[in-house]
Amino acid sequence: MYSINDINNDAAKIFKSVGFPDKKNEFWKYTNLKKFQSINKSKPKKFNLSKKSFKEFYDISIPIITILNGKVISYPKDKSCSLLLDKFKNCSKFFYNSFIPNDEIIFKNNPFLILNSAHFSDGIFLNMNSDFNDVVIQIITDGKKNNYQESYPRVHIDIEQNVQSKIILHHIGSNDEKYYKNMVLNVDVNQNSKVSFTNIFEESNHSFSMNNIILNQKSNSEVKQNSFYLTSGFIRTDISNNLNEPESYSSLNGLFLGGNDDFIDNNIIINHNSKYTYSKVLYKGIMDGKSNAVFNALVNVPFKSKQIDSDQKNHNIILSKTAKINSNPKLKISCDDVKCAHGSTIGNLDEDALFYLRSRGISLKKSKQILLKSFMNELIDNLSIEEVKSYIDNRIGDIIKC
């Protein structure tokens, strides 16, 4: 029998040996962890959910799982859902090992993945199948006014063969409160399955939100992920997408909105570990105030892979003189038989388009909103659930005032 405590101890030893990365690590070159390392943290003691603390959009008939401060407080009492504590009682060695990857490079590049394994005490395991294929997971975090309350949510999802699934993760933070959330989502997508993920981040502007998403795909599987960073403090998301078998396909899209002194960091690695695999990445950012963003994306094609088709793009609009972004799409290709492209743009709103709209009697504020809406629509229109699309559209309208 395995236990969470065993994982905690093993991961703590690993982190002690590798520690936090420095600026010499290319994946952390533009990410300053000095403030994070200096904060005082405390463990949560209360797990009482207040509906007044967050907005929701769940007018949809989909099961809901609620995680508060790292603790699973409600979930469908179904054989397809189980607490990780119970899952470990009869789990395989393979499942146990998935919590601590046997790879020194992962240890050094993903310290917060190891920290989650060293500290989590609760989590949920989902077996998505033909009877249980759609779910909303709300990850709620509250905090304190003086020090940072810490939590370590953990979600593992296994999607069976020939299943079509929709999964919504809504990350909700209490306004203006301090907290440190370290979340890990691990997903295994089996043969001929299709899954749509929607990540909605609405974090406190005083938070540290560290997120690791691991997507493992088998043959003929399809993953479509759409991430929306609506409100942030200091947020980093590491995505590792492993296309392990032929004819697997992934599409990773994201929209991030920065204001005030937000820091938004997206780091994406796509490993084309098999021939005949395909991937697309499209992230867009709108930065205002003194906000700062980082976009790192790496497409890795090993020597034995061939017939690879990959495209990655990052487009950004800067609305103030003090906002900035570092955009670094990259390719690492070790064979010839590939079709790979990447590109990045950073600029202001189109002055000619603004002039045209103003000449039609539209106010400057409304003109800017029209152009920004046009810039974002490509990502919002991808959403398949109308209630989610409407919620995100309305929240963006609340946030972007121009």
Side-chain angles (χ1 to χ4, degrees), residues 55 170-175 179 200-207 209 228-235 255-260 262-264 395 398-399:
K55 301 179 178 66
H170 194 186
H171 305 253
I172 308 161
S174 297
N175 291 334
Y179 60 81
I200 305 170
F201 294 91
E202 297 188 84
E203 306 282 10
S204 163
N205 56 358
H206 294 298
S207 65
S209 174
F228 296 88
Y229 298 83
L230 303 181
T231 57
S232 309
F234 184 111
I235 187 167
L255 173 67
F256 51 92
L257 311 177
N260 301 314
D262 295 340
F263 179 79
I264 305 169
R395 289 291 291 125
D398 294 338
I399 294 163

PDB file of all heavy atoms in Angstrom, residues 55 170-175 179 200-207 209 228-235 255-260 262-264 395 398-399:
ATOM      1  N   LYS A  55     -17.645  34.669  -7.854  1.00  0.00           N
ATOM      2  CA  LYS A  55     -18.687  34.656  -8.875  1.00  0.00           C
ATOM      3  C   LYS A  55     -18.727  33.268  -9.502  1.00  0.00           C
ATOM      4  O   LYS A  55     -17.735  32.556  -9.539  1.00  0.00           O
ATOM      5  CB  LYS A  55     -18.393  35.706  -9.951  1.00  0.00           C
ATOM      6  CG  LYS A  55     -18.290  37.128  -9.432  1.00  0.00           C
ATOM      7  CD  LYS A  55     -17.968  38.086 -10.572  1.00  0.00           C
ATOM      8  CE  LYS A  55     -17.901  39.521 -10.094  1.00  0.00           C
ATOM      9  NZ  LYS A  55     -16.790  39.777  -9.181  1.00  0.00           N
ATOM     10  N   HIS A 170     -12.166  26.287 -12.862  1.00  0.00           N
ATOM     11  CA  HIS A 170     -12.369  27.691 -12.510  1.00  0.00           C
ATOM     12  C   HIS A 170     -11.545  27.992 -11.254  1.00  0.00           C
ATOM     13  O   HIS A 170     -11.852  27.496 -10.174  1.00  0.00           O
ATOM     14  CB  HIS A 170     -13.856  27.948 -12.260  1.00  0.00           C
ATOM     15  CG  HIS A 170     -14.204  29.399 -12.214  1.00  0.00           C
ATOM     16  ND1 HIS A 170     -15.462  29.849 -11.883  1.00  0.00           N
ATOM     17  CD2 HIS A 170     -13.468  30.517 -12.449  1.00  0.00           C
ATOM     18  CE1 HIS A 170     -15.483  31.173 -11.926  1.00  0.00           C
ATOM     19  NE2 HIS A 170     -14.279  31.596 -12.264  1.00  0.00           N
ATOM     20  N   HIS A 171     -10.486  28.768 -11.425  1.00  0.00           N
ATOM     21  CA  HIS A 171      -9.581  29.129 -10.330  1.00  0.00           C
ATOM     22  C   HIS A 171     -10.054  30.459  -9.750  1.00  0.00           C
ATOM     23  O   HIS A 171     -10.012  31.495 -10.430  1.00  0.00           O
ATOM     24  CB  HIS A 171      -8.150  29.253 -10.833  1.00  0.00           C
ATOM     25  CG  HIS A 171      -7.651  28.039 -11.548  1.00  0.00           C
ATOM     26  ND1 HIS A 171      -6.737  27.168 -10.991  1.00  0.00           N
ATOM     27  CD2 HIS A 171      -7.926  27.532 -12.787  1.00  0.00           C
ATOM     28  CE1 HIS A 171      -6.477  26.197 -11.848  1.00  0.00           C
ATOM     29  NE2 HIS A 171      -7.177  26.398 -12.940  1.00  0.00           N
ATOM     30  N   ILE A 172     -10.473  30.440  -8.502  1.00  0.00           N
ATOM     31  CA  ILE A 172     -11.125  31.605  -7.899  1.00  0.00           C
ATOM     32  C   ILE A 172     -10.373  32.013  -6.637  1.00  0.00           C
ATOM     33  O   ILE A 172     -10.172  31.191  -5.734  1.00  0.00           O
ATOM     34  CB  ILE A 172     -12.593  31.299  -7.537  1.00  0.00           C
ATOM     35  CG1 ILE A 172     -13.335  30.716  -8.743  1.00  0.00           C
ATOM     36  CG2 ILE A 172     -13.288  32.547  -7.022  1.00  0.00           C
ATOM     37  CD1 ILE A 172     -14.605  29.979  -8.397  1.00  0.00           C
ATOM     38  N   GLY A 173      -9.963  33.263  -6.564  1.00  0.00           N
ATOM     39  CA  GLY A 173      -9.276  33.762  -5.383  1.00  0.00           C
ATOM     40  C   GLY A 173     -10.036  34.892  -4.726  1.00  0.00           C
ATOM     41  O   GLY A 173     -10.669  35.706  -5.406  1.00  0.00           O
ATOM     42  N   SER A 174      -9.990  34.941  -3.401  1.00  0.00           N
ATOM     43  CA  SER A 174     -10.648  36.018  -2.661  1.00  0.00           C
ATOM     44  C   SER A 174      -9.983  37.350  -2.977  1.00  0.00           C
ATOM     45  O   SER A 174      -8.755  37.462  -2.961  1.00  0.00           O
ATOM     46  CB  SER A 174     -10.583  35.753  -1.154  1.00  0.00           C
ATOM     47  OG  SER A 174     -11.286  34.590  -0.829  1.00  0.00           O
ATOM     48  N   ASN A 175     -10.792  38.339  -3.258  1.00  0.00           N
ATOM     49  CA  ASN A 175     -10.267  39.637  -3.648  1.00  0.00           C
ATOM     50  C   ASN A 175      -9.385  40.247  -2.566  1.00  0.00           C
ATOM     51  O   ASN A 175      -9.728  40.231  -1.375  1.00  0.00           O
ATOM     52  CB  ASN A 175     -11.412  40.608  -3.957  1.00  0.00           C
ATOM     53  CG  ASN A 175     -12.159  40.222  -5.223  1.00  0.00           C
ATOM     54  OD1 ASN A 175     -11.598  39.579  -6.106  1.00  0.00           O
ATOM     55  ND2 ASN A 175     -13.418  40.613  -5.315  1.00  0.00           N
ATOM     56  N   TYR A 179      -2.449  34.941  -0.625  1.00  0.00           N
ATOM     57  CA  TYR A 179      -2.344  33.494  -0.565  1.00  0.00           C
ATOM     58  C   TYR A 179      -1.299  33.008  -1.575  1.00  0.00           C
ATOM     59  O   TYR A 179      -0.939  33.710  -2.525  1.00  0.00           O
ATOM     60  CB  TYR A 179      -3.693  32.813  -0.823  1.00  0.00           C
ATOM     61  CG  TYR A 179      -4.340  33.094  -2.160  1.00  0.00           C
ATOM     62  CD1 TYR A 179      -3.965  32.410  -3.316  1.00  0.00           C
ATOM     63  CD2 TYR A 179      -5.360  34.040  -2.278  1.00  0.00           C
ATOM     64  CE1 TYR A 179      -4.566  32.651  -4.532  1.00  0.00           C
ATOM     65  CE2 TYR A 179      -5.965  34.301  -3.495  1.00  0.00           C
ATOM     66  CZ  TYR A 179      -5.569  33.599  -4.625  1.00  0.00           C
ATOM     67  OH  TYR A 179      -6.158  33.848  -5.835  1.00  0.00           O
ATOM     68  N   ILE A 200     -10.115  28.935 -16.346  1.00  0.00           N
ATOM     69  CA  ILE A 200     -10.459  30.330 -16.079  1.00  0.00           C
ATOM     70  C   ILE A 200      -9.768  30.736 -14.784  1.00  0.00           C
ATOM     71  O   ILE A 200     -10.043  30.175 -13.721  1.00  0.00           O
ATOM     72  CB  ILE A 200     -11.986  30.523 -15.940  1.00  0.00           C
ATOM     73  CG1 ILE A 200     -12.706  29.980 -17.184  1.00  0.00           C
ATOM     74  CG2 ILE A 200     -12.315  32.001 -15.736  1.00  0.00           C
ATOM     75  CD1 ILE A 200     -14.215  29.914 -17.032  1.00  0.00           C
ATOM     76  N   PHE A 201      -8.863  31.696 -14.883  1.00  0.00           N
ATOM     77  CA  PHE A 201      -8.109  32.160 -13.717  1.00  0.00           C
ATOM     78  C   PHE A 201      -8.631  33.516 -13.280  1.00  0.00           C
ATOM     79  O   PHE A 201      -8.553  34.502 -14.022  1.00  0.00           O
ATOM     80  CB  PHE A 201      -6.615  32.261 -14.039  1.00  0.00           C
ATOM     81  CG  PHE A 201      -5.951  30.942 -14.313  1.00  0.00           C
ATOM     82  CD1 PHE A 201      -5.879  30.432 -15.606  1.00  0.00           C
ATOM     83  CD2 PHE A 201      -5.386  30.209 -13.276  1.00  0.00           C
ATOM     84  CE1 PHE A 201      -5.255  29.218 -15.866  1.00  0.00           C
ATOM     85  CE2 PHE A 201      -4.766  28.986 -13.519  1.00  0.00           C
ATOM     86  CZ  PHE A 201      -4.698  28.497 -14.820  1.00  0.00           C
ATOM     87  N   GLU A 202      -9.172  33.563 -12.073  1.00  0.00           N
ATOM     88  CA  GLU A 202      -9.587  34.824 -11.453  1.00  0.00           C
ATOM     89  C   GLU A 202      -8.960  34.865 -10.060  1.00  0.00           C
ATOM     90  O   GLU A 202      -9.592  34.534  -9.065  1.00  0.00           O
ATOM     91  CB  GLU A 202     -11.110  34.922 -11.393  1.00  0.00           C
ATOM     92  CG  GLU A 202     -11.755  34.938 -12.766  1.00  0.00           C
ATOM     93  CD  GLU A 202     -13.244  35.223 -12.713  1.00  0.00           C
ATOM     94  OE1 GLU A 202     -13.623  36.398 -12.661  1.00  0.00           O
ATOM     95  OE2 GLU A 202     -14.023  34.245 -12.708  1.00  0.00           O
ATOM     96  N   GLU A 203      -7.692  35.259 -10.025  1.00  0.00           N
ATOM     97  CA  GLU A 203      -6.914  35.222  -8.795  1.00  0.00           C
ATOM     98  C   GLU A 203      -6.916  36.589  -8.106  1.00  0.00           C
ATOM     99  O   GLU A 203      -7.182  37.622  -8.726  1.00  0.00           O
ATOM    100  CB  GLU A 203      -5.470  34.806  -9.105  1.00  0.00           C
ATOM    101  CG  GLU A 203      -5.323  33.510  -9.887  1.00  0.00           C
ATOM    102  CD  GLU A 203      -5.495  32.263  -9.033  1.00  0.00           C
ATOM    103  OE1 GLU A 203      -5.924  32.375  -7.866  1.00  0.00           O
ATOM    104  OE2 GLU A 203      -5.186  31.160  -9.529  1.00  0.00           O
ATOM    105  N   SER A 204      -6.593  36.598  -6.830  1.00  0.00           N
ATOM    106  CA  SER A 204      -6.424  37.841  -6.088  1.00  0.00           C
ATOM    107  C   SER A 204      -5.209  38.590  -6.618  1.00  0.00           C
ATOM    108  O   SER A 204      -4.220  37.987  -7.056  1.00  0.00           O
ATOM    109  CB  SER A 204      -6.229  37.534  -4.600  1.00  0.00           C
ATOM    110  OG  SER A 204      -5.680  38.647  -3.919  1.00  0.00           O
ATOM    111  N   ASN A 205      -5.259  39.919  -6.566  1.00  0.00           N
ATOM    112  CA  ASN A 205      -4.109  40.696  -7.034  1.00  0.00           C
ATOM    113  C   ASN A 205      -2.963  40.699  -6.026  1.00  0.00           C
ATOM    114  O   ASN A 205      -1.918  41.300  -6.283  1.00  0.00           O
ATOM    115  CB  ASN A 205      -4.521  42.131  -7.383  1.00  0.00           C
ATOM    116  CG  ASN A 205      -5.185  42.853  -6.227  1.00  0.00           C
ATOM    117  OD1 ASN A 205      -5.385  42.284  -5.155  1.00  0.00           O
ATOM    118  ND2 ASN A 205      -5.529  44.108  -6.434  1.00  0.00           N
ATOM    119  N   HIS A 206      -3.133  39.995  -4.889  1.00  0.00           N
ATOM    120  CA  HIS A 206      -2.055  39.847  -3.910  1.00  0.00           C
ATOM    121  C   HIS A 206      -1.616  38.386  -3.789  1.00  0.00           C
ATOM    122  O   HIS A 206      -1.045  37.993  -2.778  1.00  0.00           O
ATOM    123  CB  HIS A 206      -2.492  40.361  -2.533  1.00  0.00           C
ATOM    124  CG  HIS A 206      -2.738  41.835  -2.490  1.00  0.00           C
ATOM    125  ND1 HIS A 206      -1.760  42.765  -2.749  1.00  0.00           N
ATOM    126  CD2 HIS A 206      -3.867  42.537  -2.231  1.00  0.00           C
ATOM    127  CE1 HIS A 206      -2.267  43.979  -2.638  1.00  0.00           C
ATOM    128  NE2 HIS A 206      -3.548  43.865  -2.331  1.00  0.00           N
ATOM    129  N   SER A 207      -1.878  37.608  -4.829  1.00  0.00           N
ATOM    130  CA  SER A 207      -1.626  36.166  -4.737  1.00  0.00           C
ATOM    131  C   SER A 207      -0.374  35.756  -5.493  1.00  0.00           C
ATOM    132  O   SER A 207       0.107  36.453  -6.388  1.00  0.00           O
ATOM    133  CB  SER A 207      -2.824  35.399  -5.309  1.00  0.00           C
ATOM    134  OG  SER A 207      -2.955  35.656  -6.707  1.00  0.00           O
ATOM    135  N   SER A 209       0.211  32.421  -7.607  1.00  0.00           N
ATOM    136  CA  SER A 209      -0.496  31.262  -8.150  1.00  0.00           C
ATOM    137  C   SER A 209       0.444  30.513  -9.081  1.00  0.00           C
ATOM    138  O   SER A 209       0.803  30.998 -10.157  1.00  0.00           O
ATOM    139  CB  SER A 209      -1.755  31.713  -8.910  1.00  0.00           C
ATOM    140  OG  SER A 209      -2.381  30.624  -9.554  1.00  0.00           O
ATOM    141  N   PHE A 228      -7.879  31.304 -19.837  1.00  0.00           N
ATOM    142  CA  PHE A 228      -8.199  32.722 -19.758  1.00  0.00           C
ATOM    143  C   PHE A 228      -7.711  33.267 -18.414  1.00  0.00           C
ATOM    144  O   PHE A 228      -8.195  32.858 -17.358  1.00  0.00           O
ATOM    145  CB  PHE A 228      -9.703  32.943 -19.913  1.00  0.00           C
ATOM    146  CG  PHE A 228     -10.230  32.535 -21.259  1.00  0.00           C
ATOM    147  CD1 PHE A 228     -10.639  31.230 -21.496  1.00  0.00           C
ATOM    148  CD2 PHE A 228     -10.273  33.441 -22.303  1.00  0.00           C
ATOM    149  CE1 PHE A 228     -11.094  30.830 -22.742  1.00  0.00           C
ATOM    150  CE2 PHE A 228     -10.739  33.064 -23.562  1.00  0.00           C
ATOM    151  CZ  PHE A 228     -11.145  31.759 -23.779  1.00  0.00           C
ATOM    152  N   TYR A 229      -6.752  34.172 -18.484  1.00  0.00           N
ATOM    153  CA  TYR A 229      -6.204  34.816 -17.288  1.00  0.00           C
ATOM    154  C   TYR A 229      -6.887  36.168 -17.149  1.00  0.00           C
ATOM    155  O   TYR A 229      -6.483  37.156 -17.769  1.00  0.00           O
ATOM    156  CB  TYR A 229      -4.688  34.954 -17.415  1.00  0.00           C
ATOM    157  CG  TYR A 229      -3.973  33.633 -17.532  1.00  0.00           C
ATOM    158  CD1 TYR A 229      -3.856  32.985 -18.759  1.00  0.00           C
ATOM    159  CD2 TYR A 229      -3.432  33.017 -16.405  1.00  0.00           C
ATOM    160  CE1 TYR A 229      -3.218  31.756 -18.863  1.00  0.00           C
ATOM    161  CE2 TYR A 229      -2.790  31.785 -16.505  1.00  0.00           C
ATOM    162  CZ  TYR A 229      -2.687  31.165 -17.733  1.00  0.00           C
ATOM    163  OH  TYR A 229      -2.054  29.946 -17.831  1.00  0.00           O
ATOM    164  N   LEU A 230      -7.952  36.202 -16.343  1.00  0.00           N
ATOM    165  CA  LEU A 230      -8.777  37.403 -16.250  1.00  0.00           C
ATOM    166  C   LEU A 230      -8.267  38.368 -15.192  1.00  0.00           C
ATOM    167  O   LEU A 230      -8.168  39.572 -15.439  1.00  0.00           O
ATOM    168  CB  LEU A 230     -10.228  37.011 -15.976  1.00  0.00           C
ATOM    169  CG  LEU A 230     -10.847  36.053 -17.004  1.00  0.00           C
ATOM    170  CD1 LEU A 230     -12.296  35.753 -16.648  1.00  0.00           C
ATOM    171  CD2 LEU A 230     -10.751  36.619 -18.424  1.00  0.00           C
ATOM    172  N   THR A 231      -7.965  37.860 -13.997  1.00  0.00           N
ATOM    173  CA  THR A 231      -7.358  38.684 -12.951  1.00  0.00           C
ATOM    174  C   THR A 231      -6.199  37.908 -12.338  1.00  0.00           C
ATOM    175  O   THR A 231      -6.277  36.690 -12.167  1.00  0.00           O
ATOM    176  CB  THR A 231      -8.374  39.059 -11.852  1.00  0.00           C
ATOM    177  OG1 THR A 231      -8.940  37.868 -11.292  1.00  0.00           O
ATOM    178  CG2 THR A 231      -9.485  39.929 -12.417  1.00  0.00           C
ATOM    179  N   SER A 232      -5.138  38.621 -12.024  1.00  0.00           N
ATOM    180  CA  SER A 232      -3.917  37.958 -11.576  1.00  0.00           C
ATOM    181  C   SER A 232      -3.210  38.813 -10.537  1.00  0.00           C
ATOM    182  O   SER A 232      -3.447  40.010 -10.427  1.00  0.00           O
ATOM    183  CB  SER A 232      -2.953  37.724 -12.754  1.00  0.00           C
ATOM    184  OG  SER A 232      -3.589  37.100 -13.832  1.00  0.00           O
ATOM    185  N   GLY A 233      -2.315  38.147  -9.813  1.00  0.00           N
ATOM    186  CA  GLY A 233      -1.317  38.837  -9.014  1.00  0.00           C
ATOM    187  C   GLY A 233       0.019  38.475  -9.630  1.00  0.00           C
ATOM    188  O   GLY A 233       0.450  39.044 -10.623  1.00  0.00           O
ATOM    189  N   PHE A 234       0.645  37.457  -9.047  1.00  0.00           N
ATOM    190  CA  PHE A 234       1.830  36.821  -9.625  1.00  0.00           C
ATOM    191  C   PHE A 234       1.389  35.414 -10.003  1.00  0.00           C
ATOM    192  O   PHE A 234       1.052  34.605  -9.142  1.00  0.00           O
ATOM    193  CB  PHE A 234       2.953  36.777  -8.590  1.00  0.00           C
ATOM    194  CG  PHE A 234       4.263  36.226  -9.088  1.00  0.00           C
ATOM    195  CD1 PHE A 234       5.361  37.043  -9.239  1.00  0.00           C
ATOM    196  CD2 PHE A 234       4.401  34.877  -9.402  1.00  0.00           C
ATOM    197  CE1 PHE A 234       6.577  36.543  -9.687  1.00  0.00           C
ATOM    198  CE2 PHE A 234       5.603  34.359  -9.861  1.00  0.00           C
ATOM    199  CZ  PHE A 234       6.696  35.210  -9.997  1.00  0.00           C
ATOM    200  N   ILE A 235       1.371  35.119 -11.295  1.00  0.00           N
ATOM    201  CA  ILE A 235       0.874  33.818 -11.733  1.00  0.00           C
ATOM    202  C   ILE A 235       1.825  33.210 -12.757  1.00  0.00           C
ATOM    203  O   ILE A 235       2.329  33.896 -13.646  1.00  0.00           O
ATOM    204  CB  ILE A 235      -0.556  33.928 -12.324  1.00  0.00           C
ATOM    205  CG1 ILE A 235      -1.130  32.531 -12.623  1.00  0.00           C
ATOM    206  CG2 ILE A 235      -0.595  34.815 -13.555  1.00  0.00           C
ATOM    207  CD1 ILE A 235      -2.633  32.542 -12.903  1.00  0.00           C
ATOM    208  N   LEU A 255      -5.531  33.435 -23.442  1.00  0.00           N
ATOM    209  CA  LEU A 255      -5.695  34.889 -23.445  1.00  0.00           C
ATOM    210  C   LEU A 255      -5.355  35.389 -22.052  1.00  0.00           C
ATOM    211  O   LEU A 255      -5.928  34.917 -21.067  1.00  0.00           O
ATOM    212  CB  LEU A 255      -7.139  35.272 -23.800  1.00  0.00           C
ATOM    213  CG  LEU A 255      -7.480  36.757 -23.679  1.00  0.00           C
ATOM    214  CD1 LEU A 255      -6.724  37.587 -24.723  1.00  0.00           C
ATOM    215  CD2 LEU A 255      -8.995  36.977 -23.817  1.00  0.00           C
ATOM    216  N   PHE A 256      -4.404  36.328 -21.954  1.00  0.00           N
ATOM    217  CA  PHE A 256      -4.064  36.877 -20.644  1.00  0.00           C
ATOM    218  C   PHE A 256      -4.209  38.392 -20.651  1.00  0.00           C
ATOM    219  O   PHE A 256      -3.828  39.075 -21.597  1.00  0.00           O
ATOM    220  CB  PHE A 256      -2.663  36.442 -20.202  1.00  0.00           C
ATOM    221  CG  PHE A 256      -1.558  36.655 -21.193  1.00  0.00           C
ATOM    222  CD1 PHE A 256      -0.798  37.818 -21.194  1.00  0.00           C
ATOM    223  CD2 PHE A 256      -1.255  35.665 -22.127  1.00  0.00           C
ATOM    224  CE1 PHE A 256       0.230  37.995 -22.105  1.00  0.00           C
ATOM    225  CE2 PHE A 256      -0.226  35.836 -23.045  1.00  0.00           C
ATOM    226  CZ  PHE A 256       0.522  37.010 -23.037  1.00  0.00           C
ATOM    227  N   LEU A 257      -4.827  38.896 -19.566  1.00  0.00           N
ATOM    228  CA  LEU A 257      -5.082  40.325 -19.394  1.00  0.00           C
ATOM    229  C   LEU A 257      -4.289  40.813 -18.199  1.00  0.00           C
ATOM    230  O   LEU A 257      -4.483  40.336 -17.076  1.00  0.00           O
ATOM    231  CB  LEU A 257      -6.575  40.582 -19.169  1.00  0.00           C
ATOM    232  CG  LEU A 257      -7.551  39.923 -20.156  1.00  0.00           C
ATOM    233  CD1 LEU A 257      -8.985  40.231 -19.748  1.00  0.00           C
ATOM    234  CD2 LEU A 257      -7.285  40.387 -21.583  1.00  0.00           C
ATOM    235  N   GLY A 258      -3.375  41.747 -18.428  1.00  0.00           N
ATOM    236  CA  GLY A 258      -2.549  42.271 -17.349  1.00  0.00           C
ATOM    237  C   GLY A 258      -2.857  43.729 -17.056  1.00  0.00           C
ATOM    238  O   GLY A 258      -3.038  44.531 -17.975  1.00  0.00           O
ATOM    239  N   GLY A 259      -2.908  44.056 -15.787  1.00  0.00           N
ATOM    240  CA  GLY A 259      -3.119  45.439 -15.363  1.00  0.00           C
ATOM    241  C   GLY A 259      -2.400  45.688 -14.053  1.00  0.00           C
ATOM    242  O   GLY A 259      -1.858  44.750 -13.441  1.00  0.00           O
ATOM    243  N   ASN A 260      -2.388  46.932 -13.599  1.00  0.00           N
ATOM    244  CA  ASN A 260      -1.693  47.298 -12.359  1.00  0.00           C
ATOM    245  C   ASN A 260      -0.255  46.782 -12.417  1.00  0.00           C
ATOM    246  O   ASN A 260       0.460  47.047 -13.374  1.00  0.00           O
ATOM    247  CB  ASN A 260      -2.449  46.761 -11.143  1.00  0.00           C
ATOM    248  CG  ASN A 260      -3.869  47.305 -11.072  1.00  0.00           C
ATOM    249  OD1 ASN A 260      -4.083  48.490 -11.247  1.00  0.00           O
ATOM    250  ND2 ASN A 260      -4.832  46.433 -10.836  1.00  0.00           N
ATOM    251  N   ASP A 262       0.506  43.389 -12.241  1.00  0.00           N
ATOM    252  CA  ASP A 262       0.386  41.942 -12.431  1.00  0.00           C
ATOM    253  C   ASP A 262       1.626  41.370 -13.103  1.00  0.00           C
ATOM    254  O   ASP A 262       2.271  42.032 -13.932  1.00  0.00           O
ATOM    255  CB  ASP A 262      -0.819  41.608 -13.317  1.00  0.00           C
ATOM    256  CG  ASP A 262      -2.148  41.988 -12.686  1.00  0.00           C
ATOM    257  OD1 ASP A 262      -2.200  42.147 -11.452  1.00  0.00           O
ATOM    258  OD2 ASP A 262      -3.132  42.120 -13.444  1.00  0.00           O
ATOM    259  N   PHE A 263       1.931  40.119 -12.755  1.00  0.00           N
ATOM    260  CA  PHE A 263       2.976  39.362 -13.454  1.00  0.00           C
ATOM    261  C   PHE A 263       2.357  38.061 -13.927  1.00  0.00           C
ATOM    262  O   PHE A 263       1.848  37.273 -13.123  1.00  0.00           O
ATOM    263  CB  PHE A 263       4.167  39.079 -12.536  1.00  0.00           C
ATOM    264  CG  PHE A 263       5.258  38.293 -13.207  1.00  0.00           C
ATOM    265  CD1 PHE A 263       6.145  38.908 -14.063  1.00  0.00           C
ATOM    266  CD2 PHE A 263       5.371  36.928 -13.007  1.00  0.00           C
ATOM    267  CE1 PHE A 263       7.144  38.183 -14.706  1.00  0.00           C
ATOM    268  CE2 PHE A 263       6.358  36.187 -13.638  1.00  0.00           C
ATOM    269  CZ  PHE A 263       7.251  36.823 -14.491  1.00  0.00           C
ATOM    270  N   ILE A 264       2.376  37.827 -15.259  1.00  0.00           N
ATOM    271  CA  ILE A 264       1.731  36.658 -15.855  1.00  0.00           C
ATOM    272  C   ILE A 264       2.765  35.915 -16.685  1.00  0.00           C
ATOM    273  O   ILE A 264       3.317  36.451 -17.644  1.00  0.00           O
ATOM    274  CB  ILE A 264       0.542  37.080 -16.749  1.00  0.00           C
ATOM    275  CG1 ILE A 264      -0.443  37.939 -15.952  1.00  0.00           C
ATOM    276  CG2 ILE A 264      -0.158  35.847 -17.322  1.00  0.00           C
ATOM    277  CD1 ILE A 264      -1.502  38.603 -16.816  1.00  0.00           C
ATOM    278  N   ARG A 395     -17.150  39.025 -18.147  1.00  0.00           N
ATOM    279  CA  ARG A 395     -16.070  39.354 -17.208  1.00  0.00           C
ATOM    280  C   ARG A 395     -14.994  40.210 -17.879  1.00  0.00           C
ATOM    281  O   ARG A 395     -14.455  41.133 -17.276  1.00  0.00           O
ATOM    282  CB  ARG A 395     -15.452  38.078 -16.636  1.00  0.00           C
ATOM    283  CG  ARG A 395     -16.339  37.334 -15.686  1.00  0.00           C
ATOM    284  CD  ARG A 395     -16.531  38.111 -14.369  1.00  0.00           C
ATOM    285  NE  ARG A 395     -15.296  38.159 -13.599  1.00  0.00           N
ATOM    286  CZ  ARG A 395     -14.726  39.287 -13.175  1.00  0.00           C
ATOM    287  NH1 ARG A 395     -15.264  40.464 -13.456  1.00  0.00           N
ATOM    288  NH2 ARG A 395     -13.618  39.229 -12.470  1.00  0.00           N
ATOM    289  N   ASP A 398     -16.131  43.660 -17.951  1.00  0.00           N
ATOM    290  CA  ASP A 398     -15.980  44.320 -16.647  1.00  0.00           C
ATOM    291  C   ASP A 398     -14.540  44.776 -16.405  1.00  0.00           C
ATOM    292  O   ASP A 398     -14.307  45.786 -15.732  1.00  0.00           O
ATOM    293  CB  ASP A 398     -16.376  43.358 -15.517  1.00  0.00           C
ATOM    294  CG  ASP A 398     -17.851  42.996 -15.537  1.00  0.00           C
ATOM    295  OD1 ASP A 398     -18.633  43.766 -16.120  1.00  0.00           O
ATOM    296  OD2 ASP A 398     -18.197  41.940 -14.992  1.00  0.00           O
ATOM    297  N   ILE A 399     -13.585  44.014 -16.933  1.00  0.00           N
ATOM    298  CA  ILE A 399     -12.175  44.243 -16.612  1.00  0.00           C
ATOM    299  C   ILE A 399     -11.524  45.285 -17.502  1.00  0.00           C
ATOM    300  O   ILE A 399     -10.806  46.175 -17.037  1.00  0.00           O
ATOM    301  CB  ILE A 399     -11.394  42.902 -16.720  1.00  0.00           C
ATOM    302  CG1 ILE A 399     -11.881  41.939 -15.636  1.00  0.00           C
ATOM    303  CG2 ILE A 399      -9.887  43.127 -16.590  1.00  0.00           C
ATOM    304  CD1 ILE A 399     -11.495  40.496 -15.888  1.00  0.00           C
TER     305      ILE A 399
END
